[in-house]
């Protein structure tokens, strides 16, 4: 029996298990997603990511050499979700239905996906401006994927278009820009329009020009 006057030996404190860089990377990427989403590329530092992850800055550097490498890894992780949403929004058979119907159905599905993953899309929009060329080039490559998908869709949806080699890339770029603008309105600008309302507006423009809105 221990006397009340005798000091009680403290149990040795368990040290947290050391996590190597590979096991820390998902945790750091989760923190980076939060920071990049809130502060953008210019406002994000390795220290701010470390603070969000609850680790020291050297721990972040053990996993990623610099901020650009961190952002590239984050884009690669989120890209799979984004590409999936883009592919799912393209019509299965563009030859069936009208261009207006294709835009309405596809854009509605796409913008709903954007609204469900706002942080992922904020990463994409934020990386387009001010980031290192290797980062912005990756974002542009993903956008080119979207434009090419739209071009192929329009090729089947508009078989009678004049000079398709010259005009379809222009139409695809214009539609991609409208799609991107709607997504930006949802996750960056904070519009009060719903994905369904934005999709209807764009589909009416495709059907009848601005006079059809």
């Amino acid at each position: 029996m221990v006397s009340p006057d005798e000091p009680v030996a403290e149990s040795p404190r368990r040290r947290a298990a050391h996590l190597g860089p590979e096991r820390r990377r998902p945790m750091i990427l989760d923190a980076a997603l939060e920071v990049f989403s809130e502060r953008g590329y210019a406002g994000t530092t390795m220290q701010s990511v470390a603070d969000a992850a609850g680790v020291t800055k050297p721990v972040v550097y053990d996993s990623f050499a610099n901020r650009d490498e961190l952002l590239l890894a984050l884009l690669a992780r989120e890209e799979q979700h984004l590409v999936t949403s883009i592919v799912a929004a393209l019509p299965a058979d563009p030859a069936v239905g009208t261009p207006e119907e294709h835009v309405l159905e596809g854009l509605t599905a796409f913008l709903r996906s954007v609204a469900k993953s706002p942080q992922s899309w904020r990463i994409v929009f934020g990386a387009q401006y001010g980031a290192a060329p290797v980062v912005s080039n990756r974002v542009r490559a993903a956008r080119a994927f979207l434009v090419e998908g739209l071009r192929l869709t329009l090729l089947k949806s508009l078989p009678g278009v004049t000079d398709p080699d010259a005009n379809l890339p222009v139409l695809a770029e214009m539609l991609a820009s409208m799609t991107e603008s709607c997504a930006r309105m949802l996750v960056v600008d904070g519009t009060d329009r719903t994905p369904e309302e934005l999709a209807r507006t764009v589909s009416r423009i495709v059907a009848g020009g601005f006079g059809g809105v």
Side-chain angles (χ1 to χ4, degrees):
M1 179 175 181
V2 179
S3 170
D5 297 328
E6 294 180 7
V8 178
E10 293 184 3
S11 299
R13 180 179 297 174
R14 290 187 177 181
R15 299 182 61 184
H18 174 71
L19 297 178
E22 288 305 313
R23 294 187 62 184
R24 287 193 186 275
R25 284 170 67 95
M27 176 185 69
I28 293 172
L29 287 175
D30 287 342
L33 179 61
E34 296 284 345
V35 176
F36 275 117
S37 177
E38 293 177 2
R39 305 185 186 184
Y41 179 83
T44 298
T45 64
M46 298 294 267
Q47 183 62 61
S48 63
V49 173
D51 292 342
V55 299
T56 62
K57 187 163 66 171
V59 169
V60 179
Y61 276 109
D62 282 344
S63 298
F64 303 96
N66 51 53
R67 182 177 60 170
D68 291 334
E69 183 178 301
L70 173 59
L71 181 53
L72 279 174
L74 185 59
L75 283 170
R77 190 182 77 167
E78 301 302 310
E79 192 174 70
Q80 184 61 43
H81 303 298
L82 308 186
V83 169
T84 298
S85 66
I86 290 173
V87 172
L90 297 175
D93 186 356
V96 177
T98 67
E100 181 181 4
E101 292 171 340
H102 295 160
V103 171
L104 179 59
E105 295 173 5
L107 190 53
T108 297
F110 175 72
L111 292 179
R112 284 173 177 168
S113 176
V114 169
K116 290 180 180 178
S117 306
Q119 290 181 322
S120 298
W121 286 98
R122 289 191 194 109
I123 296 296
V124 172
F125 292 135
Q128 291 183 29
Y129 308 103
V134 67
V135 176
S136 55
N137 286 345
R138 183 175 187 122
V139 175
R140 282 196 291 270
R143 188 179 188 280
F145 174 83
L146 168 63
V147 174
E148 177 60 13
L150 291 172
R151 187 191 69 80
L152 294 175
T153 297
L154 291 172
L155 182 63
K156 296 180 179 180
S157 182
L158 301 172
V161 68
T162 304
D163 195 355
D165 291 339
N167 290 326
L168 288 183
V170 175
L171 296 176
E173 177 63 38
M174 293 173 64
L175 187 54
S177 295
M178 286 191 286
T179 299
E180 184 179 43
S181 294
C182 289
R184 185 185 297 276
M185 290 172 67
L186 284 173
V187 303
V188 178
D189 300 335
T191 179
D192 58 357
R193 306 292 297 279
T194 66
E196 293 78 9
E197 290 171 338
L198 291 171
R200 281 196 296 270
T201 298
V202 175
S203 67
R204 289 167 184 164
I205 291 174
V206 170
F210 286 98
V213 179

